[in-house]
Amino acid sequence: MGTAVQRPRRAAPAGHRRLQHTSQRPVLPPWLLARLVPPAVATGAGAVLALWWQDTYAVTGADQWLTGAGRITGLLAGYAAPVLLLLMARIPALERDVGADRLARWHAIGGRYLVGLVTVHVLTVVWGSALTAHRAVVGETVRMVLHDPDMLKATAATLLLLGTGAVSARAARRRLGYETWYYLHLATYLAVALGFAHQLTNGADLGRGPARAGWYVLYVAAFAVLGWYRLAVPFLRDRRHRLHVAEVRPEGPGVVSVLLTGERLAELRAEPGQFFRLQFLAPGLRWAANPYSLSAPPTDRFLRFTVKGLGGHSAALAGLRPGTRVRAEGPYGAFTARRRTQRRVLLIAGGVGITPLRTLFETLPAGPGELTLLYRARDGEDLLFRQELERIAGTRSARLSYLVGRRDVTGDPLSAAALGRLVPGLAQHDVFLCGPAAMTGAVTRELRAAGVPAHRIHHESFDL
């Protein structure tokens, strides 16, 4: 453990003003929107099922049962597709108050349901049609696909969705780089558009009245919101803020800090703990926007991001040249002081997970002894920002502990018992946690075992 106060390396060049965020308050409690979204989505699904109910007078025979199941799953799949687009449209209120990782989890769960609904829809519609027409299933499949142009679109949409679902499965996802997965995921937009055309032509439940108009509104609104926040807003911000690389600074083995500068950065209203999706306009990097957390409080002139080379994109950042243009989406994320509910706060970092916690360590309002940072690393070389952290701890009378060593040698320094010894009154703390996914899950369980309520454990992950 080290607590000596030393002169740090500067987080940003002189002549800048650190932005103040502690007075900002959300219009609604930050947890409220997260609780409202699932019931709202479920209510929409109920309304969609009502379309089938009002058009169905009786169901008799296997063919009608199968056709009815096909209609229901088709309607639900058609409803789920634009909802999933809206979840990942980077809507600021959702990103800020719900959290990017929670939205991504909902999107992933919804995506699995969508793939399942589409699969069942295809099987039941073809089987039901074959029974009605007294044909073989294979022959009916060929007839339906080849003799209806809109069925060709539906077939293409289905194949694209199933392919995207396959590469998004956890086992396959681990084998793909972020950039490859990102590009393949763009195919879902085409799949949704093709599926929409099929629904309008072949969806008998949509009819010609309010249901059809509502379907148009849902899809047009989803694509409009997606286009605005994913394309237009980043383009307009790029023109206004003109972000570019000011410096690339080594921080440790395989770790660099990228310092960005630009114009009117205060207008971004970035908060400590948040992240941006950065697109560096350099060879090999310009076609992907990856998420990186702020590693220093934002100022009116500079944004600092600290990155460990874990993939092709992140590793290439070490070779960036000053002056490289950067497009930034954000700020995003709910991992901020807005989540705080208790006077005392514990920050737990693992490895490069220190980046957002370093910003909170400097900016969270706290009296002497009310703020504690535990920094876990395998060895001393993996500790980042030591001088900065020790300066902050000394200036703020905060507690700073380095937990260094391999578990098989030192034991688990983040077990419930160890945490209880390190942090008196642990159950009365808010806990902000950031690190590798395995560590985050294990420490969350230990915190719960130590008596910390789930709503006081805050974390945000990009490992999705």
Side-chain angles (χ1 to χ4, degrees), residues 209-393:
R212 191 179 187 88
W215 219 249
Y216 266 109
V217 169
L218 178 61
Y219 272 79
V220 171
F223 275 102
V225 170
L226 189 73
W228 176 252
Y229 287 115
R230 296 292 296 270
L231 298 175
V233 169
F235 173 78
L236 293 172
R237 285 184 172 176
D238 178 49
R239 297 292 298 271
R240 182 162 182 79
H241 300 296
R242 300 188 179 279
L243 281 172
H244 58 274
V245 175
E247 180 186 354
V248 178
R249 176 187 304 162
E251 299 285 1
V255 180
V256 297
S257 283
V258 180
L259 198 67
L260 304 185
T261 188
E263 303 173 7
R264 296 180 284 269
L265 299 189
E267 295 177 7
L268 292 171
R269 299 181 64 81
E271 299 180 51
Q274 291 189 308
F275 70 94
F276 287 75
R277 287 182 170 88
L278 302 180
Q279 182 180 7
F280 296 91
L281 303 186
L285 299 175
R286 65 176 63 246
W287 297 113
N290 286 24
Y292 297 113
S293 293
L294 290 163
S295 63
T299 76
D300 57 350
R301 290 290 310 282
F302 296 97
L303 302 173
R304 189 181 77 175
F305 303 88
T306 301
V307 181
K308 185 171 184 178
L310 299 175
H313 192 280
S314 55
L317 301 192
L320 288 172
R321 296 178 179 274
T324 300
R325 291 289 302 279
V326 183
R327 290 177 182 160
E329 297 179 35
Y332 298 131
F335 194 67
T336 68
R338 297 172 186 267
R339 286 287 185 255
R340 181 181 182 180
T341 62
Q342 301 296 299
R343 184 170 53 86
R344 290 183 287 179
V345 179
L346 169 64
L347 312 176
I348 303 177
V352 78
I354 188 63
T355 50
L357 295 181
R358 182 250 176 267
T359 66
L360 294 175
F361 193 49
E362 183 173 352
T363 59
L364 274 172
E370 294 179 349
L371 182 62
T372 301
L373 171 61
L374 305 181
Y375 190 179
R376 178 80 174 98
R378 288 190 175 185
D379 55 58
E381 287 188 351
D382 293 330
L383 295 173
L384 305 176
F385 313 129
R386 289 191 65 158
Q387 294 180 339
E388 294 181 26
L389 295 173
E390 289 162 6
R391 172 186 60 81
I392 295 168

Side-chain angles (χ1 to χ4, degrees), residues 68 117 221 250 256 297 418 427 429:
L117 287 168
V256 297
H429 283 67

Side-chain angles (χ1 to χ4, degrees), residues 43-281:
T43 300
V48 168
L49 288 175
L51 294 176
W52 170 82
W53 180 260
Q54 72 177 4
D55 288 337
T56 302
Y57 302 101
V59 179
T60 58
D63 58 337
Q64 291 189 24
W65 279 105
L66 288 167
T67 302
R71 287 166 54 199
I72 291 172
T73 52
L75 285 168
L76 289 174
Y79 168 72
V83 169
L84 293 178
L85 293 183
L86 288 170
L87 288 177
M88 299 305 289
R90 316 280 197 255
I91 300 172
L94 293 179
E95 293 278 345
R96 182 188 65 241
D97 291 340
V98 177
D101 62 338
R102 183 180 293 177
L103 289 171
R105 285 196 297 273
W106 289 349
H107 178 82
I109 293 169
R112 289 191 283 272
Y113 276 111
L114 177 59
V115 170
L117 287 168
V118 169
T119 302
V120 174
H121 170 69
V122 171
L123 294 176
T124 53
V125 164
V126 172
W127 193 0
S129 179
L131 288 178
T132 301
H134 304 288
R135 298 189 182 98
V137 172
V138 174
E140 183 65 8
T141 302
V142 173
R143 187 196 68 80
M144 291 177 69
V145 171
L146 297 183
H147 290 80
D148 186 342
D150 285 298
M151 288 301 295
L152 286 174
K153 297 176 184 177
T155 302
T158 300
L159 293 175
L160 286 172
L161 281 175
L162 294 178
T164 304
V167 300
S168 297
R170 190 174 297 274
R173 176 71 180 88
R174 293 195 190 102
R175 295 182 174 88
L176 291 176
Y178 179 89
E179 296 80 9
T180 304
W181 175 85
Y182 175 83
Y183 297 142
L184 291 173
H185 227 64
L186 295 178
T188 57
Y189 301 144
L190 177 59
V192 172
L194 291 171
F196 178 56
H198 160 67
Q199 293 162 51
L200 294 179
T201 303
N202 301 102
D205 294 291
L206 298 180
R208 294 287 178 183
R212 191 179 187 88
W215 219 249
Y216 266 109
V217 169
L218 178 61
Y219 272 79
V220 171
F223 275 102
V225 170
L226 189 73
W228 176 252
Y229 287 115
R230 296 292 296 270
L231 298 175
V233 169
F235 173 78
L236 293 172
R237 285 184 172 176
D238 178 49
R239 297 292 298 271
R240 182 162 182 79
H241 300 296
R242 300 188 179 279
L243 281 172
H244 58 274
V245 175
E247 180 186 354
V248 178
R249 176 187 304 162
E251 299 285 1
V255 180
V256 297
S257 283
V258 180
L259 198 67
L260 304 185
T261 188
E263 303 173 7
R264 296 180 284 269
L265 299 189
E267 295 177 7
L268 292 171
R269 299 181 64 81
E271 299 180 51
Q274 291 189 308
F275 70 94
F276 287 75
R277 287 182 170 88
L278 302 180
Q279 182 180 7
F280 296 91
L281 303 186

